[in-house]
DNA sequence: TAAAAACAGGTTGTCAGACAACAAGAGGAC
DNA sequence: GTCCTCTTGTTGTCTGACAACCTGTTTTTA
């Protein structure tokens, strides 16, 4: 129940229904209007405070914080259904992943490379087959780029990409998305991944970064060309 | 008080003192060991749940979640004191900002450019002077890159960079950091920003992205050369 | 008259206790 | 041996209370 309320409140704030500096209703009135006890409201507001969405002062009240005061980054589930939002998430991922690949090219060890080879082989092997192979391919692809993130030696990049992939996996299990992923399941796309792998093997920072960028630009193109996603 | 406890618990989890799948102590025992009421513990755990750090089941208990289940990205304040962590944050920022600049080069409007020019002029004007000018320069620089993020047309990039800059501003107000920033306050560094601006003006995606990457690689170098930061 | 002090009301922060909802295991009935 | 019930423990929610704190008002005092 507290999940619902914190989600509703944060949506109100993020959508701009409540503007910065404005005062929230008191905990008691919120409890009454939501039909729950004050403890539940408190837990919800506590979450908002932790994310830097609101700021409360004892004896006064809780106020909407400045947008510049956010202390956490999260992607709301609703964003995965709109094509435009999906493309923007893809762009965000492009920036981080290309940076990760460049760093991986520099810092990779032979062990890192071996892990990447294994993941790549798994992608290659699951190139033909039924749904099971497609599922396997998705997992292998995720593993491939996670290995790259690990090889970058940057903890934050690893955490961020891991979080992003998890969110995408969680939310994009709809049928439309399963289909969208099939378009990423071809020999042509595999060649794009191969270019990344070889650039990292050759320890060519620029080439690795560029190869990732190239892959994602084509992936964005493929996503934009699809007709089965809502545009609103 | 709930801030402290949630921070302590999340640190325990992130540092790996508690491994995934492990069960947390019961709320009652946590309340006793921390010397607070159960409501405080509940608010703290509620935050951890929201971040995907723990997962609780009614009637059973709360368990440490898999690292892949994280649903939010945040940077702990402690990370700003170690040079290595600072460099990693800089790398993260490099990836996003270079992506933002590339997108801005493509999507920028004349109004966007005008804002960037204003911010750049402000940087240029505050190149000489006392501490006030240095402070002004920092603000102008932040504004400059924020304009770029806005011009990218990508909401997530804007939010992410804004969050990152806020965190950096909040945490790096120490003396050591003030000094570190002075090294970014020179005509040479300004020229690096100028290159970014001109590439965006010319709508040259690759050049803009490269210019950002170049600036940050030199900034990382300058940071690495500094001797007044702890290495642990 | 003006400043200072006490008061009153409201809000958040914390505490204590209780009960409902739920899960897992123990023990007995068949 | 299998099923059922019972017990126990934990989380989720509710309720009431009080402390800590802020704000505006009123009263007192210089």
């Amino acid at each position: 129940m507290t999940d619902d309320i914190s989600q509703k409140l944060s949506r109100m704030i993020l959508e701009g229904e409540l503007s910065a500096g404005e005062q929230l209703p008191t905990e008691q009135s919120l409890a009454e209007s939501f039909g729950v006890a004050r403890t539940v409201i408190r837990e919800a507001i506590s979450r908002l405070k932790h994310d830097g969405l609101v700021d409360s002062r004892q004896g006064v009240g809780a106020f909407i914080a400045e947008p510049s005061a956010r202390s956490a980054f999260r992607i709301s589930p609703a964003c995965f259904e709109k094509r435009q939002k999906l493309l923007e998430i893809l762009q965000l991922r492009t920036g981080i992943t290309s940076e990760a690949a460049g760093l991986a090219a520099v810092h990779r060890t032979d062990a890192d490379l071996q892990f990447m080879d294994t993941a790549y082989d798994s992608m290659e092997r699951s190139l033909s087959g039924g749904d099971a192979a497609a599922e396997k391919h998705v997992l292998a692809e995720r593993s491939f780029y996670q290995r790259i993130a690990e090889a970058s030696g940057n903890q934050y990049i690893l955490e961020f990409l891991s979080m992003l992939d998890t969110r995408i996996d969680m939310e994009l299990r709809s049928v439309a998305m399963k289909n969208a992923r099939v378009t990423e399941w071809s020999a042509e796309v595999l060649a794009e991944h191969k270019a990344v792998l070889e650039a990292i093997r050759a320890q060519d920072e620029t080439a690795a970064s560029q190869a990732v960028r190239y892959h994602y630009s084509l992936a964005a193109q493929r996503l934009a060309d699809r007709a089965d996603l809502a545009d609103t």
Side-chain angles (χ1 to χ4, degrees), chain A residues 76-173:
Chain A
S76 90
C79 299
F80 289 93
E81 286 159 16
K82 304 168 187 169
R83 188 208 306 257
Q84 174 60 24
K85 294 293 171 192
L86 219 50
L87 282 171
E88 290 184 14
I89 292 173
L90 209 58
Q91 289 169 348
L92 186 62
R93 190 155 146 178
T94 303
I96 304 283
T97 309
S98 76
E99 188 69 23
L103 289 168
V106 176
H107 295 121
R108 70 159 183 81
T109 64
D110 287 347
D112 289 328
L113 205 58
Q114 211 163 338
F115 283 134
M116 292 179 215
D117 277 331
T118 305
Y120 180 82
D121 288 345
S122 179
M123 270 198 282
E124 198 168 32
R125 273 200 311 276
S126 62
L127 203 53
S128 63
D131 278 358
E135 189 66 24
K136 218 169 167 180
H137 190 268
V138 169
L139 290 178
E141 182 179 331
R142 179 172 173 179
S143 170
F144 180 66
Y145 283 98
Q146 192 168 335
R147 295 299 184 190
I148 291 175
E150 283 171 12
S152 77
N154 187 312
Q155 177 200 345
Y156 301 109
I157 288 180
L158 178 59
E159 279 180 19
F160 187 83
L161 281 180
S162 169
M163 189 271 278
L164 215 54
D165 278 349
T166 302
R167 299 294 297 160
I168 291 173
D169 276 5
M170 297 252 308
E171 301 297 336
L172 297 190
R173 294 229 165 261

Side-chain angles (χ1 to χ4, degrees), chain A residues 11-222:
Chain A
R11 270 188 57 185
M12 277 190 204
I13 296 174
L14 296 175
E15 310 261 332
E17 292 181 35
L18 306 169
S19 51
E22 204 167 337
Q23 185 168 5
L24 254 67
T26 65
E27 295 176 353
Q28 196 168 2
S29 71
L30 279 174
E32 285 171 9
S33 66
F34 278 106
V36 296
R38 195 161 77 100
T39 50
V40 179
I41 299 292
R42 280 194 61 81
E43 284 187 20
I45 291 183
S46 176
R47 292 180 179 185
L48 301 188
K49 258 193 294 188
H50 195 226
D51 282 1
L53 263 57
V54 311
D55 186 33
S56 67
R57 279 177 297 162
Q58 181 171 358
V60 184
F63 302 84
I64 312 288
E66 296 291 328
S68 64
R70 308 276 159 80
S71 59
F73 179 83
R74 32 168 48 102
I75 294 174
S76 90
C79 299
F80 289 93
E81 286 159 16
K82 304 168 187 169
R83 188 208 306 257
Q84 174 60 24
K85 294 293 171 192
L86 219 50
L87 282 171
E88 290 184 14
I89 292 173
L90 209 58
Q91 289 169 348
L92 186 62
R93 190 155 146 178
T94 303
I96 304 283
T97 309
S98 76
E99 188 69 23
L103 289 168
V106 176
H107 295 121
R108 70 159 183 81
T109 64
D110 287 347
D112 289 328
L113 205 58
Q114 211 163 338
F115 283 134
M116 292 179 215
D117 277 331
T118 305
Y120 180 82
D121 288 345
S122 179
M123 270 198 282
E124 198 168 32
R125 273 200 311 276
S126 62
L127 203 53
S128 63
D131 278 358
E135 189 66 24
K136 218 169 167 180
H137 190 268
V138 169
L139 290 178
E141 182 179 331
R142 179 172 173 179
S143 170
F144 180 66
Y145 283 98
Q146 192 168 335
R147 295 299 184 190
I148 291 175
E150 283 171 12
S152 77
N154 187 312
Q155 177 200 345
Y156 301 109
I157 288 180
L158 178 59
E159 279 180 19
F160 187 83
L161 281 180
S162 169
M163 189 271 278
L164 215 54
D165 278 349
T166 302
R167 299 294 297 160
I168 291 173
D169 276 5
M170 297 252 308
E171 301 297 336
L172 297 190
R173 294 229 165 261
S174 66
V175 180
M177 201 47 207
K178 275 251 170 82
N179 291 343
R181 278 187 166 162
V182 169
T183 62
E184 295 293 313
W185 185 39
S186 71
E188 286 78 19
V189 177
L190 191 69
E192 298 168 20
H193 300 314
K194 178 82 172 175
V196 176
L197 175 59
E198 293 311 320
I200 292 177
R201 192 192 310 279
Q203 301 195 287
D204 186 336
E205 181 177 4
T206 308
S209 177
Q210 278 305 109
V212 167
R213 212 170 277 272
Y214 181 69
H215 163 58
Y216 275 110
S217 70
L218 292 187
Q221 196 64 48
R222 288 188 286 265

